């Protein structure tokens, strides 16, 4: 099995961190792809919008020969567009983590880095039709990129936010979200009384399951474009 792992942030170190974590979890060849342009780490709507384009660009350049695509960025920028054009199944990190959380508990909490993610994730949960399952979203001030650079410094804040999700918001399962937070859920778990889900792991397992379910994707109308990479322009022209 060959999985294309797309990190639409432009920080290659985060891509490699997530890819290394996923390689330890699933029996598949992982093909990492970092965003060719855009923000170093997505922490705003503008950066997320650009990241959607970067994810499409990465898919067009690297999807050949892959069995599935893992959009390894919590918040899943460009997820529906990727699903629309991809020749193989696409699973987003937040999408996979939320679906797993729904099997582990009734009320879901989310903890991530970057204060602007709260409204963005609230809207994403609504898009998936899971608003009624959401107990609350807690963000810590450091962005995911800052947490990746010094995870030890963020552990206390992340654990406190997870506890707040459980004790104040009423969550009975908490997602620790973000590619840069790979592996931190197991370090936070002893300080939290409810299950803490690693979004990187949850998404990885979801994409393995999806790889065996390849089916017909929506047929998009051929679209002419200007200024895009040739690979992406070819996909939009419906040339494969």
């Amino acid at each position: 099995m060959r999985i294309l792992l797309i990190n639409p942030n432009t920080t290659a170190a985060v891509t490699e961190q997530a890819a290394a974590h996923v390689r330890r979890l699933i029996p598949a060849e992982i093909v990492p792809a970092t965003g060719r342009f855009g923000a170093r780490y997505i922490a705003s709507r503008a950066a997320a919008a650009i990241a959607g384009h970067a994810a499409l660009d990465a898919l067009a350049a690297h999807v050949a020969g892959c069995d599935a695509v893992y959009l390894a960025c919590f918040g899943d920028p460009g997820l529906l567009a990727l699903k629309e054009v991809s020749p193989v199944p696409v699973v987003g990190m937040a999408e996979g983590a939320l679906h797993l959380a729904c099997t582990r508990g009734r009320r879901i909490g989310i903890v991530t880095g970057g204060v602007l993610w709260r409204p963005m994730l609230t809207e994403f949960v609504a898009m998936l039709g899971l608003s009624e399952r959401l107990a609350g979203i807690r963000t810590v001030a450091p962005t995911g990129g800052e947490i990746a650079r010094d995870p030890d410094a963020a552990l206390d804040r992340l654990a406190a936010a997870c506890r707040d999700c459980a004790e104040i918001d009423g969550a009975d399962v908490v997602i620790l979200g973000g590619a840069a937070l790979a592996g931190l859920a197991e370090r936070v778990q002893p300080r939290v009384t409810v299950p803490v889900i690693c979004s990187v792991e949850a998404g990885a397992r979801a994409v393995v399951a999806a790889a065996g379910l390849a089916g017909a994707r929506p047929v998009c109308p051929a679209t002419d474009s200007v200024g895009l990479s040739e690979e992406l322009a070819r996909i939009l022209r419906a040339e494969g």
Side-chain angles (χ1 to χ4, degrees):
M1 186 181 298
R2 198 163 188 256
I3 305 295
L4 173 59
L5 182 148
I6 297 175
N7 170 28
N9 299 278
T10 58
T11 302
V14 172
T15 311
E16 291 304 325
Q17 177 183 336
H21 194 70
V22 171
R23 288 186 182 106
R24 292 193 292 269
L25 295 170
I26 61 175
E29 178 186 354
I30 305 301
V31 180
T34 304
R36 196 169 54 84
F37 50 82
R40 289 295 181 191
Y41 200 88
I42 300 161
S44 68
R45 291 183 188 278
I50 295 166
H53 177 187
L56 286 164
D57 181 79
L59 178 137
H62 302 289
V63 75
C66 292
D67 300 296
V69 176
Y70 183 13
L71 180 57
C73 175
F74 199 71
D76 301 355
L79 176 64
L80 297 185
L82 290 167
K83 289 177 181 285
E84 184 178 69
V85 302
S86 176
V88 297
V90 178
V91 172
M93 180 184 292
E95 176 190 35
L98 282 160
H99 287 156
L100 176 62
C102 284
T103 71
R104 299 282 180 86
R106 184 179 60 85
R107 299 282 286 164
I108 301 165
I110 297 174
V111 170
T112 193
V115 294
L116 295 182
W117 271 110
R118 183 174 182 178
M120 295 159 64
L121 287 171
T122 299
E123 293 164 9
F124 182 79
V125 172
M127 183 192 76
L128 293 182
L130 297 174
S131 294
E132 292 184 357
R133 303 289 295 274
L134 183 65
I137 298 172
R138 300 273 174 168
T139 60
V140 298
T143 66
E146 291 167 335
I147 292 171
R149 287 192 292 272
D150 191 0
D152 290 340
L155 280 180
D156 287 344
R157 293 186 188 185
L158 292 171
C162 289
R163 287 195 299 270
D164 286 346
C165 275
E167 298 168 9
I168 298 174
D169 301 334
D172 47 23
V173 61
V174 177
I175 297 168
L176 195 60
L181 280 63
L184 295 187
E186 61 185 0
R187 299 179 64 185
V188 167
Q189 181 65 82
R191 310 189 198 184
V192 185
T193 57
V194 301
V196 179
I197 291 174
C198 171
S199 64
V200 178
E201 179 175 350
R205 299 196 186 285
V207 80
V208 168
L213 300 174
R217 61 182 172 87
V219 177
C220 300
T223 303
D224 289 332
S225 60
V226 175
L228 302 179
S229 69
E230 180 53 36
E231 295 92 346
L232 182 53
R234 189 180 304 118
I235 284 181
L236 293 182
R237 291 195 301 266
E239 296 176 5

